[in-house]
């Protein structure tokens, strides 16, 4: 594993990648989300968003409560397509 | 050197800012939310030259040629992939219409061809070939990552000196005769103003509000925000549905595999007029409807999981063609892209920057076709084929 610190397990994003993006001037969490795909995997950000918030707070000097959460998307958990479209009706 | 203000930090505004900076102009770019927050970051990623009229075909042929060189020019991986577009005909009449479109596209150098369902199945292994008679296939159409593309342009624009401001809302203009002389804007409650030589309205769904601020009628360029929703599945093995696959007669339903993570993006023409310009709420009828089409196009999708659904706006004009051109002496518009802004941006940004800076452009953009005053004259163009 060699010291690689993972922030997002769905999309394999590291602490270093988040920090580098913030250092390049991208500090809006909606933008960080889309560029690194944090919060866009099947877990919908349950693991990564709180970690990214804390990194963002530390790097920008803001309080975590001041940083808006990125918009969550439905469904909150993955749903099999056939559950939505119904049984084999072809 | 002129000072040019661009309103709208979506792909059209950002590309034009970059192209103007390349021409040596001083640019200030305003985005009231975060960059890409309007339509760009909600798009389905598709890029195609398969249109049904000369103006859009020629513009998109040029745009695709620009896309092909962007990774090198912007020194960034924007995940541009020429995985093609496959339109599917479900009736003999459609096959004939496809043939006519293909002839027109071929005339302008777009290599679309008619293919049979055996070949279609080779291209899209999970395709249900049974309902279809033939396909219109252009292997040079494709897709790219909208997030990475917008930021690749933005980073280069900033390197060239563009003053890009997000969370900064334009609230008014100073106008003398037919000339805009200054832009008023607000950031963190603080109101400021900047003197300008020219202004571009690139606010897409919000463009009528900006026109109104410039003293023009709200409906001079009649743009209506329609919710266009998308649904995405979990990542699948690459190669399952790489091209955009669309039977137009099935309510413009389509599927396309995300070039980066492999999830299948599903769209359809099930549209709702937005209740307001903040109305991004996804709807269940769309989820159900789009997946019905998706599993008929590709039955194995039945066993995939949906991981997300979101909505964006088709900033739609009455003929689904954008308004591109000059509205006042030094006030320009490039808006109302009706779902085609991302794919057209490399060409439109280049053309718009040249028009503003030099008064003319070498880009094959038919200014008369996209004339923003055509609606006021009651002239509509042939409706641009939507989707993607």
């Amino acid at each position: 594993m060699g010291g690689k610190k993972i922030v997002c397990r769905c999309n394999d994003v590291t602490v270093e990648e988040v920090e580098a993006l913030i250092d390049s001037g991208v500090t809006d969490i909606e933008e960080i989300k889309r560029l690194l795909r944090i919060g866009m995997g099947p877990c919908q950000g349950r693991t990564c968003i709180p970690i990214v918030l804390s990194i963002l707070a530390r790097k920008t000097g803001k309080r975590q409560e001041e940083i808006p959460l990125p918009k969550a998307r439905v469904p909150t958990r993955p749903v099999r397509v056939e559950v939505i479209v119904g049984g084999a009706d072809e | 050197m002129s000072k040019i203000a661009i309103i709208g930090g979506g792909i059209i505004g950002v590309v034009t800012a970059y192209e103007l900076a390349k021409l040596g102009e001083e640019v200030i770019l305003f985005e009231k939310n975060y960059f890409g927050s309007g339509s760009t970051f909600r798009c389905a990623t598709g890029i195609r030259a398969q249109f049904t009229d000369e103006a859009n075909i020629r513009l998109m042929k040029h745009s695709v040629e620009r896309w092909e060189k962007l990774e090198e020019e912007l020194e960034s991986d924007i995940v541009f992939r020429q995985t093609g577009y496959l339109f599917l005909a479900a009736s003999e009449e459609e096959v004939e219409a496809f043939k006519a479109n293909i002839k027109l596209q071929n005339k302008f150098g777009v290599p679309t061809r008619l293919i049979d369902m055996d070949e279609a199945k080779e291209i899209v292994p999970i395709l249900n070939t049974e309902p279809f008679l033939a396909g219109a296939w252009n292997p040079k159409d494709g897709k790219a990552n909208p997030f990475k593309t917008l930021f690749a342009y933005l980073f280069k624009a900033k390197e060239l000196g563009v003053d890009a401001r997000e969370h900064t809302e334009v609230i008014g203009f100073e106008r003398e005769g037919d000339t805009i002389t200054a832009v008023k804007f607000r950031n963190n409650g603080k109101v400021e103003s900047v003197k300008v030589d020219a202004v571009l309205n690139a606010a897409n769904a919000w463009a009528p509000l900006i026109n109104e601020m410039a003293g023009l009628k709200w409906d001079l360029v009649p743009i209506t925000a329609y919710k266009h929703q998308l649904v995405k599945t979990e990542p699948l093995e690459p190669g399952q549905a790489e091209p955009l696959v669309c039977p137009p007669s099935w309510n413009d339903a389509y599927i396309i595999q995300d070039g980066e993570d492999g999830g299948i993006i599903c769209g359809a023409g099930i549209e709702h007029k937005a209740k307001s310009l903040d109305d991004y709420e996804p709807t269940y009828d769309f989820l159900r409807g789009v997946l019905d089409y998706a599993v008929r196009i590709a039955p194995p999708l039945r066993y995939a999981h949906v991981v997300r659904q979101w909505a964006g706006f088709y900033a739609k004009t009455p003929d689904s063609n954008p308004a591109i051109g000059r509205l006042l002496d030094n006030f320009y518009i490039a808006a109302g892209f009706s779902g085609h802004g991302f794919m057209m941006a490399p060409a439109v940004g280049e053309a718009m920057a040249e028009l503003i800076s030099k008064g003319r452009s070498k880009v094959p953009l038919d200014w008369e076709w996209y004339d923003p005053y055509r609606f006021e004259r009651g002239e509509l163009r042939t409706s641009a084929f939507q989707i993607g």
Side-chain angles (χ1 to χ4, degrees):
Chain A
M1 295 297 281
K4 194 175 161 191
K5 285 179 278 183
I6 299 289
V7 170
C8 161
R9 289 183 292 190
C10 300
N11 290 314
D12 200 20
V13 180
T14 65
V15 171
E16 289 72 24
E17 286 174 285
V18 176
E19 290 183 336
L21 191 61
I22 296 170
D23 288 341
S24 79
V26 179
T27 56
D28 190 301
I29 197 157
E30 293 280 3
E31 294 169 351
I32 295 171
K33 165 180 142 179
R34 288 168 171 87
L35 286 170
L36 294 179
R37 311 193 82 88
I38 52 128
M40 293 172 83
C43 96
Q44 289 277 22
R46 280 178 185 78
T47 310
C48 57
I49 296 295
I51 302 173
V52 172
L53 276 179
S54 73
I55 298 172
L56 201 53
R58 172 164 54 78
K59 301 278 280 182
T60 60
K62 285 186 181 166
R63 299 203 337 265
Q64 282 197 38
E65 307 80 70
E66 291 176 282
I67 302 169
L69 286 170
K71 177 88 177 146
R73 302 290 186 203
V74 289
T76 51
R77 284 173 200 280
V79 181
R80 209 161 152 123
V81 170
E82 64 182 350
V83 172
I84 298 160
V85 299
D89 52 11
E90 288 299 305
Chain B
M1 188 165 78
S2 307
K3 182 147 189 154
I4 296 149
I6 297 177
I7 301 160
I11 192 72
I12 296 290
V14 170
V15 175
T16 309
Y18 163 75
E19 295 287 349
L20 277 167
K22 258 172 50 180
L23 294 173
E25 305 292 3
E26 188 182 349
V27 182
I28 181 163
L29 169 67
F30 296 102
E31 166 53 51
K32 75 177 164 69
N33 202 335
Y34 58 90
F35 291 114
S37 57
S39 298
T40 307
F41 282 2
R42 298 159 192 279
C43 83
T45 78
I47 296 161
R48 75 182 144 107
Q50 286 196 63
F51 276 81
T52 53
D53 61 88
E54 179 177 338
N56 282 304
I57 293 169
R58 293 182 66 213
L59 181 69
M60 275 313 302
K61 170 142 192 304
H62 179 79
S63 200
V64 170
E65 285 162 7
R66 293 281 290 136
W67 276 105
E68 285 170 344
K69 299 190 182 92
L70 276 186
E71 295 200 342
E72 198 183 332
E73 178 174 340
L74 302 175
E75 298 173 292
S76 186
D77 178 14
I78 56 169
V79 203
F80 173 66
R81 304 283 181 265
Q82 284 173 299
T83 46
Y85 261 55
L86 175 62
F87 287 107
L88 297 164
S91 68
E92 287 296 348
E93 297 77 59
E94 258 189 307
V95 175
E96 291 310 308
F98 278 20
K99 283 181 184 165
N101 293 339
I102 289 170
K103 206 170 155 192
L104 187 65
Q105 289 160 17
N106 290 169
K107 188 177 153 192
F108 297 104
V110 175
T112 314
R113 60 191 175 85
L114 200 72
I115 62 169
D116 63 22
M117 281 301 107
D118 290 339
E119 191 172 354
K121 183 86 177 168
E122 278 173 32
I123 295 165
V124 182
I126 58 175
L127 183 66
N128 172 22
T129 55
E130 194 267 324
F132 308 115
L133 303 175
W137 167 244
N138 176 12
K140 290 210 149 192
D141 288 340
K143 57 195 171 191
N145 180 314
F147 317 136
K148 291 188 171 174
T149 302
L150 185 136
F151 272 91
Y153 268 113
L154 187 65
F155 285 140
K156 277 284 170 200
K158 285 180 172 175
E159 271 177 41
L160 294 172
V162 169
D163 179 3
R165 304 191 183 197
E166 57 185 338
H167 300 292
T168 305
E169 185 175 14
V170 168
I171 54 170
F173 298 108
E174 284 169 29
R175 178 176 157 178
E176 285 169 16
D178 277 346
T179 305
I180 305 286
T181 55
V183 176
K184 273 191 285 185
F185 56 95
R186 180 171 50 212
N187 172 258
N188 267 334
K190 206 169 119 218
V191 174
E192 287 176 68
S193 138
V194 61
K195 295 257 176 242
V196 293
D197 299 303
V199 176
L200 169 64
N201 177 357
N204 215 25
W206 293 263
L209 304 173
I210 304 298
N211 283 348
E212 211 170 31
M213 284 180 203
L216 300 167
K217 279 191 305 184
W218 192 92
D219 61 353
L220 175 68
V221 180
I223 294 170
T224 311
Y226 279 91
K227 260 202 269 191
H228 182 71
Q229 301 179 56
L230 294 171
V231 166
K232 190 171 178 184
T233 72
E234 65 192 308
L236 304 185
E237 182 79 11
Q240 301 305 304
E242 290 279 5
L244 187 139
V245 183
C246 170
S249 61
W250 291 9
N251 200 3
D252 292 337
Y254 60 89
I255 58 171
I256 181 170
Q257 189 160 19
D258 187 300
E260 195 160 15
D261 75 0
I264 305 279
I265 300 170
C266 309
I270 307 164
E271 285 167 16
H272 302 265
K273 195 171 167 184
K275 293 191 194 90
S276 71
L277 289 168
D278 301 312
D279 176 18
Y280 284 121
E281 226 29 70
T283 61
Y284 182 75
D285 72 313
F286 181 87
L287 177 69
R288 171 81 207 231
V290 78
L291 291 176
D292 273 336
Y293 287 122
V295 298
R296 279 162 65 201
I297 296 169
L301 285 182
R302 178 180 293 284
Y303 308 109
H305 288 82
V306 169
V307 289
R308 51 208 295 112
Q309 178 185 4
W310 68 95
F313 293 146
Y314 268 177
K316 224 172 186 173
T317 63
D319 57 17
S320 299
N321 283 287
I324 305 172
R326 188 199 300 260
L327 287 172
L328 295 169
D329 282 352
N330 66 344
F331 182 68
Y332 300 82
I333 188 167
F337 281 86
S338 309
H340 306 135
F342 180 60
M343 64 175 78
M344 289 179 172
V348 171
E350 186 186 8
M352 190 42 84
E354 288 178 349
L355 179 72
I356 295 172
S357 182
K358 302 175 182 171
R360 66 197 143 72
S361 170
K362 60 183 187 317
V363 175
L365 187 145
D366 183 339
W367 298 97
E368 209 272 320
W369 178 270
Y370 300 109
D371 180 4
Y373 277 103
R374 69 183 183 274
F375 309 105
E376 194 182 48
R377 292 197 303 267
E379 274 172 38
L380 293 189
R381 308 301 178 220
T382 316
S383 194
F385 193 30
Q386 259 174 351
I387 70 123

